């Protein structure tokens, strides 16, 4: 279990090691053929900032070698804003006095029709964490409804047991995204004071349960802004390294959500500027050529345009972050504010202008039959 490896690392010591990296360490990491976790620490350190252009060039070349001039497009479908957790940064948090709703089967089909009309074949299902409303039984009911309409179904929902994932995979579940939010245990507790999500280790062990269940792909990440982004990113890379070695049949992705405004608001504890986000994206690409790197509509459009050639391989487009946001209930509360409000067609046109192909479908369920 990753918890055994995680327990061997001290946050403050890892942070000090990252910030003590020198230009010599960075140059050694850039020259390496196969990069280690120590190299990754050097590439995300302040010492690497002057080498960003070189990092970006290598990142672009490695991405082109593995993924070509393509960009996977996906869209989230928010199914419910019901949640039994208190999370200081989330619009769906239990302590927020908002109208709650969970989409019915008929409403899901309405949203599906709108999403399919945009051209999407890949869907990301998102809910709050409320077992009685959006637990295993709910997913067993709605996945068979969605499976005929999409070639790829991913979920970003409450962590579940290994047997639960095993039950959902035959129903069309392709990938699961589970963000640790922060690997700093004390701050994690501050931001998650109530609900099942307050159990740090249970969340930390979720990718192990997914790996044992045989999931095709899993996504990792932290909420950038809750803690020092460099240290959190090192622990994410540590987690990724363990998972790739342990569950080697599974594919992996990394996302880069930066803390965004919501109803109630939480200012970031640590700011990350655009240049630093580029540095982090390039560092991940140099660390792992196979990893899929995803950027959401949290980021503003000019910046997303700039990221196309720097290592990112997947983008959301046309996103709504509220249940029923496409047609059923456009006015329901958003989980967070988006920044890039362009349509999927506009994103595809932008990619074409840069010489990239928008990929609407890169997997078909018939391949696994």
């Amino acid at each position: 279990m990753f918890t055994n490896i995680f327990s061997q690392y001290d946050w403050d010591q890892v942070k000090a090691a990252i910030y003590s990296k020198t230009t010599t360490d960075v140059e050694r990491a850039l020259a390496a053929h196969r990069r280690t976790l120590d190299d990754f620490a050097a590439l995300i350190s302040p010492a690497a900032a002057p080498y960003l252009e070189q990092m970006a060039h290598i990142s672009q070349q490695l991405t082109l070698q593995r993924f070509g001039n393509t960009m996977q497009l996906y869209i989230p479908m928010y199914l419910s804003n019901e949640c039994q957790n208190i999370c200081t940064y989330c619009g769906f948090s239990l302590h927020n006095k908002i109208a709650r709703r969970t989409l019915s089967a008929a409403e899901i089909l309405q949203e599906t029709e709108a999403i399919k009309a945009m051209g999407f074949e890949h869907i990301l299902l998102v809910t709050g964490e409320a077992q009685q409303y959006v637990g295993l039984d709910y997913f067993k009911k709605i996945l068979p409804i969605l499976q005929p309409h999409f070639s790829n179904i991913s979920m970003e929902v409450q962590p579940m047991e290994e047997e639960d994932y095993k039950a959902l995979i035959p129903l069309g579940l392709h990938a699961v995204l589970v963000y640790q939010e922060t690997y700093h245990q004390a701050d994690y507790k501050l931001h998650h004071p109530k609900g099942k999500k307050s159990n740090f280790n249970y969340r930390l062990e979720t990718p192990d349960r997914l790996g044992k269940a045989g999931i095709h792909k899993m996504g990792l990440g932290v909420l950038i802004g809750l803690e020092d982004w460099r240290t959190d990113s090192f622990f994410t890379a540590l987690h990724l390294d363990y998972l790739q070695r342990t569950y080697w049949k599974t594919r992996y992705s990394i996302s880069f959500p930066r803390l965004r405004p919501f109803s109630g608001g939480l200012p970031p504890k640590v700011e990350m500027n655009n240049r630093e986000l580029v540095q982090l994206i390039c560092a991940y690409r140099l660390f792992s050529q196979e990893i899929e790197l995803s950027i959401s509509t949290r980021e503003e459009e000019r910046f997303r345009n700039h990221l196309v050639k720097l290592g990112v391989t997947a983008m959301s487009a046309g996103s709504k972050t509220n249940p029923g946001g496409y047609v059923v209930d456009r006015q329901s509360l958003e989980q967070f504010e988006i920044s890039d409000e362009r349509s999927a067609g506009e994103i595809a046109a932008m990619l074409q202008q840069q010489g990239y192909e928008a990929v609407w479908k890169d997997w078909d369920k018939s391949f696994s039959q």
Side-chain angles (χ1 to χ4, degrees), residues 61-237:
Q61 294 304 310
L62 291 175
T63 307
L64 287 172
Q65 289 172 18
R66 171 60 181 84
F67 297 93
N69 294 76
T70 63
M71 184 69 64
Q72 177 68 58
L73 295 185
Y74 69 94
I75 194 168
M77 182 193 292
Y78 277 68
L79 301 173
S80 175
N81 60 9
E82 293 280 359
C83 195
Q84 297 302 307
N85 297 318
I86 290 181
C87 301
T88 61
Y89 49 81
C90 182
F92 294 172
S93 181
L94 178 65
H95 70 284
N96 286 338
K97 304 305 179 183
I98 62 170
R100 306 284 178 171
R101 72 170 301 154
T102 298
L103 298 186
S104 66
E107 290 171 333
I108 288 171
L109 284 174
Q110 286 182 262
E111 293 286 284
T112 295
E113 184 178 356
I115 288 171
K116 290 287 290 185
M118 299 180 210
F120 287 100
E121 287 284 345
H122 287 216
I123 189 78
L124 170 63
L125 307 179
V126 186
T127 71
E129 300 190 11
Q131 179 67 29
Q132 65 271 46
Y133 297 104
V134 284
L136 179 63
D137 290 342
Y138 180 78
F139 298 127
K140 281 184 174 180
K141 177 183 176 182
I142 61 105
L143 281 178
I145 295 172
L146 290 162
Q147 189 176 21
H149 300 282
F150 295 101
S151 297
N152 187 306
I153 300 175
S154 303
M155 293 201 323
E156 184 182 339
V157 302
Q158 62 187 341
M160 293 185 285
E161 296 297 324
E162 177 185 340
E163 294 304 315
D164 296 342
Y165 291 125
K166 285 182 177 178
L168 296 179
I169 290 171
L171 301 181
L173 179 60
H174 181 84
V176 173
L177 281 61
V178 55
Y179 303 140
Q180 189 61 29
E181 313 298 11
T182 178
Y183 287 84
H184 190 293
Q185 283 186 270
D187 272 14
Y188 182 94
K189 184 62 177 177
L190 288 175
H191 290 294
H192 308 95
K194 180 179 174 61
K196 191 173 182 180
K197 194 171 179 177
S198 64
N199 188 330
F200 179 89
N201 282 335
Y202 184 78
R203 195 168 189 88
L204 192 66
E205 293 164 356
T206 304
D208 274 294
R209 296 193 296 275
L210 282 164
K212 291 175 182 177
I215 196 71
H216 183 78
K217 186 172 78 173
M218 67 177 86
L220 307 176
V222 294
L223 182 54
I224 297 169
L226 291 185
E227 247 301 338
D228 178 76
W229 66 265
R230 292 183 170 91
T231 312
D232 254 337
S233 297
F234 175 86
F235 278 103
T236 307

Side-chain angles (χ1 to χ4, degrees), residues 270-337:
V270 179
E271 294 279 359
M272 171 196 254
N273 61 40
N274 288 352
R275 185 177 175 86
E276 289 170 335
L277 181 50
V278 171
Q279 179 183 350
L280 180 59
I281 290 170
C282 293
Y284 271 115
R285 175 60 64 224
L286 270 63
F287 178 62
S288 175
Q289 188 172 344
E290 298 296 318
I291 193 74
E292 298 177 23
L293 302 178
S294 177
I295 202 77
S296 78
T297 51
R298 289 174 184 256
E299 302 298 335
E300 58 95 15
E301 61 179 74
R302 288 185 62 189
F303 183 54
R304 294 222 306 167
N305 293 354
H306 181 64
L307 292 176
V308 169
K309 296 184 178 182
L310 296 182
V312 170
T313 59
M315 283 184 166
S316 56
S319 303
K320 302 296 182 184
T321 66
N322 49 322
Y326 298 103
V327 290
V328 172
D329 188 359
R330 298 178 188 272
Q331 302 305 314
S332 62
L333 179 83
E334 294 182 322
Q335 187 184 30
F336 58 87
E337 294 178 11

Side-chain angles (χ1 to χ4, degrees), residues 229-246:
W229 66 265
R230 292 183 170 91
T231 312
D232 254 337
S233 297
F234 175 86
F235 278 103
T236 307
L238 177 70
H239 206 165
L240 171 67
D241 181 65
Y242 159 80
L243 292 167
Q244 286 180 322
R245 288 185 288 103
T246 308

Side-chain angles (χ1 to χ4, degrees), residues 4-40:
N4 298 327
I5 294 175
F6 180 76
S7 65
Q8 299 173 27
Y9 287 79
D10 176 82
W11 176 280
D12 292 333
Q13 291 178 3
V14 168
K15 183 177 180 180
I18 294 170
Y19 281 83
S20 66
K21 293 298 183 185
T22 66
T23 56
T24 301
D25 297 319
V26 176
E27 290 171 0
R28 183 183 302 114
L30 289 171
H33 179 64
R34 294 179 61 88
R35 297 177 181 90
T36 64
L37 281 162
D38 191 59
D39 291 329
F40 180 79

